[in-house]
Amino acid sequence: MSFSCSEDSVTDEFTNANGNVQEKLITSISITSAQNNLENEKIELSYTQDGKLNTITNGVNTNIFVYNNNNELTDIAGSGINNLSLEELYQSPYDAFEAGDVLNYDDNGNPKTIEFYEEWYEYNYITGNYEYFKEIYTANISYDDAPNPYFFTLQAGGIIDVLDGIELNFSLNPQVPEIVQAKMLFPSNNPSQIVYKNENGETIYTINANYSYDSDNYPTSGTITAVSSGITTEQSTYSVVYEYLN
């Protein structure tokens, strides 16, 4: 695993990159596909009276955040929802932001180049057997000069405290190595482009996100375009709308 030259916490790096920004909590994320309405989804988030993240639901599955008497996160119960995952939102077929190693960072401490493994099986018609393949891919990320819109929402859910190492609860899932990896992969700014390349340096997939921002520099809506490069080129387009707690 590659480590940033900075030993700052996630909170410190976010503040260093963005300054004293307005705190905003996401209440909903609506995703609309231009290709298939079955891909449409709305994620809704609720909060307790004291501002702690309470639930995340997509109308089918729900995650419930559980805290102790000191308002420290102790568990996330319910069905798994990955919609606050960067690549899930961007409809990426890869998981560099979950399983990758950071090769280098930009000046704001954002992961700039991530290395990850892609594994698959292919059927060999000559031998009649499936063959295993494993390649090293890279993801190159660019960012808008805007704060990561999920930061304060994740902070309200106790996740940032876990990443900062303030309260490492060994009963939480994921376990400590995954927490360390999540910290190294956490971006302080809002990604605007991800370019995936295979081990030969050939571009295989590109995601571009074009956002509209409010006066506090938080995204209110955006268009996400994904282009798969191969024998044929395929393009997918999604629109996303953010709503925040008043």
Side-chain angles (χ1 to χ4, degrees):
M1 179 176 295
S2 302
F3 288 86
S4 166
C5 59
S6 171
E7 295 182 358
D8 290 342
S9 67
V10 167
T11 299
D12 289 338
E13 290 187 349
F14 179 83
T15 302
N16 292 339
N18 299 290
N20 187 24
V21 298
Q22 177 70 33
E23 178 177 335
K24 287 197 170 185
L25 302 177
I26 298 171
T27 57
S28 71
I29 307 168
S30 299
I31 302 167
T32 304
S33 169
Q35 298 75 233
N36 186 349
N37 59 13
L38 295 178
E39 295 180 315
N40 297 351
E41 191 169 26
K42 184 173 185 178
I43 304 100
E44 296 181 298
L45 300 85
S46 69
Y47 299 86
T48 63
Q49 289 185 344
D50 58 356
K52 301 295 292 183
L53 182 58
N54 184 28
T55 63
I56 302 176
T57 182
N58 60 5
V60 177
N61 299 315
T62 300
N63 283 343
I64 303 171
F65 287 68
V66 182
Y67 307 92
N68 61 21
N69 292 333
N70 295 321
N71 277 332
E72 298 163 339
L73 180 67
T74 59
D75 193 16
I76 302 176
S79 303
I81 298 177
N82 294 322
N83 304 91
L84 295 187
S85 161
L86 180 67
E87 286 168 311
E88 286 285 334
L89 173 66
Y90 285 13
Q91 304 293 323
S92 170
Y94 304 109
D95 59 356
F97 272 92
E98 295 179 12
D101 293 331
V102 181
L103 298 183
N104 54 68
Y105 294 83
D106 66 15
D107 292 340
N108 280 349
N110 297 301
K112 184 177 180 179
T113 305
I114 300 173
E115 181 181 85
F116 65 101
Y117 291 100
E118 189 68 10
E119 302 172 280
W120 71 94
Y121 287 89
E122 287 185 8
Y123 185 75
N124 187 319
Y125 288 93
I126 297 176
T127 64
N129 297 315
Y130 283 93
E131 296 182 355
Y132 171 75
F133 293 88
K134 181 177 182 179
E135 287 190 7
I136 298 176
Y137 286 13
T138 57
N140 298 290
I141 307 100
S142 303
Y143 299 84
D144 284 343
D145 185 17
N148 182 338
Y150 299 98
F151 177 83
F152 289 110
T153 297
L154 294 173
Q155 187 179 67
I159 302 297
I160 299 299
D161 281 354
V162 173
L163 296 183
D164 283 348
I166 295 173
E167 293 293 340
L168 285 179
N169 187 330
F170 286 81
S171 67
L172 278 175
N173 188 17
Q175 297 299 318
V176 172
E178 291 172 297
I179 293 174
V180 173
Q181 188 171 35
K183 177 183 184 296
M184 306 311 299
L185 290 164
F186 191 87
S188 295
N189 294 120
N190 194 25
S192 58
Q193 185 184 66
I194 307 176
V195 178
Y196 298 92
K197 296 184 178 182
N198 62 20
E199 62 183 10
N200 296 320
E202 300 166 331
T203 298
I204 54 175
Y205 203 84
T206 303
I207 297 172
N208 287 294
N210 184 18
Y211 290 105
S212 297
Y213 290 90
D214 63 16
S215 59
D216 296 313
N217 215 18
Y218 278 80
T220 55
S221 62
T223 300
I224 298 169
T225 304
V227 178
S228 174
S229 304
I231 298 176
T232 60
T233 298
E234 297 181 3
Q235 178 173 309
S236 301
T237 303
Y238 302 86
S239 63
V240 58
V241 175
Y242 290 90
E243 294 183 336
Y244 300 91
L245 191 66
N246 292 328

